């Protein structure tokens, strides 16, 4: 081992693994019902359709070659068409950039848009994958709380009035991970107006928007302002294994990301991008497929929320089962959810304590529950086990 | 557009796109024979075998889910076995890390191992994908020239004797891109000894090692020291579209890279990693397949070198057609290869001027020629066109 080389040791000490990932390693016991994961249900992924698309792509050797850094051109064209419909304006192909999951968009954007010490505003509780990237980029992080209508844009306005100047504001606008809530149309408009007035970017991180249960998600924040960089992904509606996320952003942002993408990994996979393009272009099939995922997740989410409210009554406040993959619950009886976790695991149920998502501490009475990979009966049993673990201890 | 936000404009001005990529955009005319590319031949990639492996993987939905950040475990096991055979020691799975092409290993290693201003030693001419990453990381770059035996390790020794302390030394040890040469066994031993004595890492970047034509590449530098981080890839022997590169490194380096990989893109594709695992595990098939690629590339390389020596005689010094994908040629008659390029394009042949790979200027009389995607007759015609373009102007 090199006798010198201080940077590695220092950096290893400074980096923190995702608390969720570390926890997941402890919750793979077969007898544990895990509400702790954050994975979509592989059984609902369109395996046969992907296999057929793979066979089609592999009938030609072009899918085996390196592809362009911003993504395989026909996939970008399909995405431009979909995003044009979603945003109600013509999105040119040059403003669509394919990334290796939307996580890569976050990391490349952090590199392009942030200088060390730049201010980034996030939601609290926060998506930890974003928080990790912004911290690694040396950003100063300030959090704005969520409520039932999403980001407290009034708190953001106060920060701006006090002179804070963020490089960007990150929001999971629809069916928040971990918070479960969706930003109201009114707040979307206000957030966009603040971005225009103060000259900051909004990163609208939207992997869950299509997974609504009863009524569609509101118009994207990107509808209201060109200062919004919109991220989405095929991971939750098709399969994470395609590693296809995408970004809609002004051309100059896309070109900055392109230069960094060349250094980061040259390009994505022409094979999985061709598969994604075929599936995303097949509107009729896709609509039916996403409908079936929505129906399954909706039933699960409602069973979970129903069981939690039924079992805990006034001792819990749960988000609505409106969409996405997560329900957030606050115990009103002082239950310390970190202290509860070992007892819950002993009873055979796992969840993620709210504190794992806290930006500046707190959320010690909260939990995040993922409902995607268990059926209604199993989720009801999970709540029973949680109750047995003694939430009022 | 945001009225403030100086970082983006400044960063865009500071970033430089790869000169090769910009050039490639100009050389896609059908009537141009391109020696300028750097792509393996898609026609030689095992399309049918990949299709069969995809079908097998897609018979089960597990390949559709997120996989582990260090790579799909069975792929890591196959790679550990192959690298154990290559390195002559047991490589534990924990020391094998799958990256999104070996380019991602370079970018994550730069992030883990470098602080701004750290010294990185590269070869001159250099692999521009590495140079771009090290520059973006804020490293101070010092170049050591290549000769016919690879990196001038004596020049590196002089730098060390003068007190230079690199964080790491980057080398493309086999069939250099762009230089075409292979480091001699004696220099590998000397480089390893210097790494052990002075406590720096060697990044042995080896995507081409299996593409030897007449005799196998020497033992890896990693055979001689545990201070060597070894990179390789399936891109040149199977398909870049699998996006499977890998790193063999001490456990603590792998764990640092793992934390950064989570932020960079969470994980790779379980689908393409399962395909890669099946193909890399099938020794008998793989040996025959790689042999067929070697035979084809060997014939092309020899035709190109033969034509160049035959046509230009003493006016050119060409590397041997020994392996890999590139031949490097120095004109001895003062030909300015950047000035020649427009005339060459007019005659219907493209190449990359040596100056595109220069770390500190120079190589104005040199060219890099890629022989992978044309047959012998076409390569011979390319040299004719180059001669017509008037190399002694």
């Amino acid at each position: 081992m090199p006798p010198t080389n201080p940077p590695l040791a220092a950096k290893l000490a400074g980096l923190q693994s995702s608390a969720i990932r570390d926890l997941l390693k402890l919750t793979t016991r077969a007898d544990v019902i895990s509400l702790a994961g954050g994975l979509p249900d592989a059984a609902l992924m369109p395996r046969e359709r992907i296999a057929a698309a793979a066979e089609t792509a592999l009938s030609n050797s072009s899918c085996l070659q390196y592809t362009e850094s911003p993504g395989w051109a026909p996939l970008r064209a399909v995405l431009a068409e979909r995003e044009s419909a979603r945003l109600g304006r013509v999105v040119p192909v040059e403003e669509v950039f394919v990334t290796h999951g939307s996580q890569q968009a976050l990391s490349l954007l952090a590199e392009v848009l942030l200088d060390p010490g730049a201010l980034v505003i996030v939601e609290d509780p926060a998506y930890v994958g974003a928080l990790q990237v912004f911290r690694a980029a040396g950003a100063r992080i300030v959090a704005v709380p969520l409520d039932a209508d999403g980001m407290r844009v009034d708190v953001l306005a106060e920060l701006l009035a006090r002179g804070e100047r963020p490089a960007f504001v990150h929001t999971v606008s629809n069916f928040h991970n971990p918070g479960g809530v969706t930003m109201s149309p009114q707040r979307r408009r206000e957030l966009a107006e603040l971005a225009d007035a103060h000259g900051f970017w909004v990163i609208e991180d939207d992997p869950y928007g299509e997974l609504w249960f009863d009524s569609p998600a509101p118009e994207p924040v990107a509808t209201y302002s060109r200062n919004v960089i919109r991220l989405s992904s095929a991971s939750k509606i098709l399969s994470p294994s395609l590693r296809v996320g995408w970004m809609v952003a002004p051309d100059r942002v896309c070109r900055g990301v392109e230069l960094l993408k060349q250094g980061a990994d040259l390009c994505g996979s022409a094979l999985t991008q061709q598969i994604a393009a075929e599936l995303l272009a097949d509107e009729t099939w896709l609509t039916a497929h996403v409908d079936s995922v929505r129906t399954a997740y909706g039933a699960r989410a409602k069973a979970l929320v129903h069981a939690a409210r039924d079992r805990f009554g006034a001792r819990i406040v749960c988000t609505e089962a409106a969409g996405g993959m997560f329900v957030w619950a606050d115990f009103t009886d002082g239950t310390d959810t970190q202290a509860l976790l070992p007892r819950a695991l002993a009873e055979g149920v796992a969840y993620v304590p709210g504190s794992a998502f806290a930006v500046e501490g707190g959320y010690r009475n909260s939990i995040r529950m993922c409902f995607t990979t268990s059926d209604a009966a199993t989720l009801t049993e999970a709540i029973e086990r949680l109750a047995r673990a003694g939430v009022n201890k």
Side-chain angles (χ1 to χ4, degrees), chain A:
Chain A
M1 293 187 189
T4 65
N5 208 330
L8 179 58
K11 285 184 186 180
L12 282 178
L15 288 165
Q16 290 185 339
S17 176
S18 156
I20 303 175
R21 280 177 179 266
D22 290 345
L23 184 73
L24 275 174
K25 291 177 188 160
L26 304 172
T27 61
T28 50
R29 267 167 40 209
D31 60 327
V32 171
I33 304 173
S34 181
L35 308 174
L39 303 181
D41 188 350
L44 297 177
M45 295 174 196
R47 185 174 59 76
E48 289 180 11
R49 191 72 173 77
I50 289 173
E55 195 180 341
T56 303
L58 284 162
S59 66
N60 188 296
S61 63
S62 70
C63 75
L64 299 176
Q65 191 55 278
Y66 287 98
T67 188
E68 295 169 283
S69 298
W72 190 57
L75 172 59
R76 292 171 73 202
V78 170
L79 293 170
E81 198 170 323
R82 287 177 60 80
E83 291 292 335
S84 296
R86 188 96 176 88
L87 296 178
R89 65 173 175 92
V90 175
V91 174
V93 166
E94 294 69 32
E95 297 185 8
V96 175
F97 194 100
V98 180
T99 52
H100 194 237
S102 58
Q103 183 70 31
Q104 186 180 48
L106 289 173
S107 73
L108 297 179
L109 284 170
E111 214 179 324
V112 169
L113 300 177
L114 299 180
D115 283 325
L119 173 62
V120 167
I121 291 183
V122 299
E123 293 163 322
D124 196 7
Y127 168 53
V128 291
L131 206 55
Q132 189 178 0
V133 166
F134 304 153
R135 282 183 173 147
R140 182 168 69 93
I141 311 278
V142 171
V144 168
L146 292 176
D147 67 14
D149 286 331
M151 178 189 278
R152 287 276 306 276
V153 176
D154 60 317
V155 176
L156 172 62
E158 282 167 29
L159 289 169
L160 295 165
R162 287 211 302 271
E164 292 282 22
R165 289 295 171 265
F168 59 76
V169 174
H170 177 259
T171 177
V172 181
S173 49
N174 295 317
F175 317 121
H176 195 274
N177 173 15
V181 295
T182 291
M183 195 189 293
S184 69
Q186 174 63 20
R187 291 207 186 153
R188 288 171 193 239
R189 195 174 298 112
E190 290 165 2
L191 175 58
E193 285 167 6
L194 289 173
D196 291 346
H198 293 271
F200 57 81
W201 296 103
V202 174
I203 297 181
E204 180 178 30
D205 195 351
D206 185 21
Y208 309 112
E210 303 210 41
L211 296 179
W212 48 269
F213 301 151
D214 295 322
S215 55
E219 305 284 292
V221 185
T223 317
Y224 300 103
S225 164
R226 297 299 281 271
N227 288 339
V228 180
I229 296 169
R230 183 174 147 72
L231 311 185
S232 194
S233 170
S235 295
K236 309 306 190 290
I237 56 170
L238 296 176
S239 157
S241 200
L242 301 177
R243 305 313 292 127
V244 167
W246 59 89
M247 172 175 89
V248 178
D251 185 67
R252 70 189 192 286
V253 174
C254 288
R255 298 295 74 75
V257 167
E258 180 174 354
L259 292 172
L260 290 171
K261 169 91 176 163
Q262 290 174 13
D265 59 12
L266 295 179
C267 63
S269 166
L271 172 59
T272 66
Q273 292 191 11
Q274 287 195 31
I275 295 171
E278 181 174 325
L279 272 60
L280 292 171
D282 188 347
E283 279 287 351
T284 310
W285 171 83
L286 184 65
T287 302
H289 165 69
V290 176
D291 259 345
S292 73
V293 178
R294 270 182 207 129
T295 304
Y297 283 179
R300 292 170 194 180
K302 284 167 192 183
L304 178 69
V305 170
H306 177 78
R309 289 176 176 164
D310 189 53
R311 188 68 184 75
F312 292 111
R315 287 156 53 206
I316 207 168
V317 175
C318 243
T319 54
E320 296 301 324
M325 294 174 33
F326 304 100
V327 165
W328 179 266
D330 299 308
F331 286 99
T332 57
D333 61 0
T335 296
D336 180 328
T337 59
Q338 257 186 291
L340 179 67
L341 188 57
R343 298 201 302 276
L345 286 168
E347 290 289 345
V349 61
Y351 58 83
V352 184
S355 55
F357 308 100
V359 182
E360 292 158 347
Y363 301 109
R364 294 193 63 90
N365 308 127
S366 308
I367 62 176
R368 186 192 76 172
M369 298 184 284
C370 178
F371 50 74
T372 52
T373 49
S374 303
D375 60 22
T378 306
L379 292 164
T380 305
E381 169 62 17
I383 293 294
E384 279 307 314
R385 294 181 184 186
L386 191 60
R388 278 205 299 276
V391 296
N392 53 357
K393 299 273 168 64

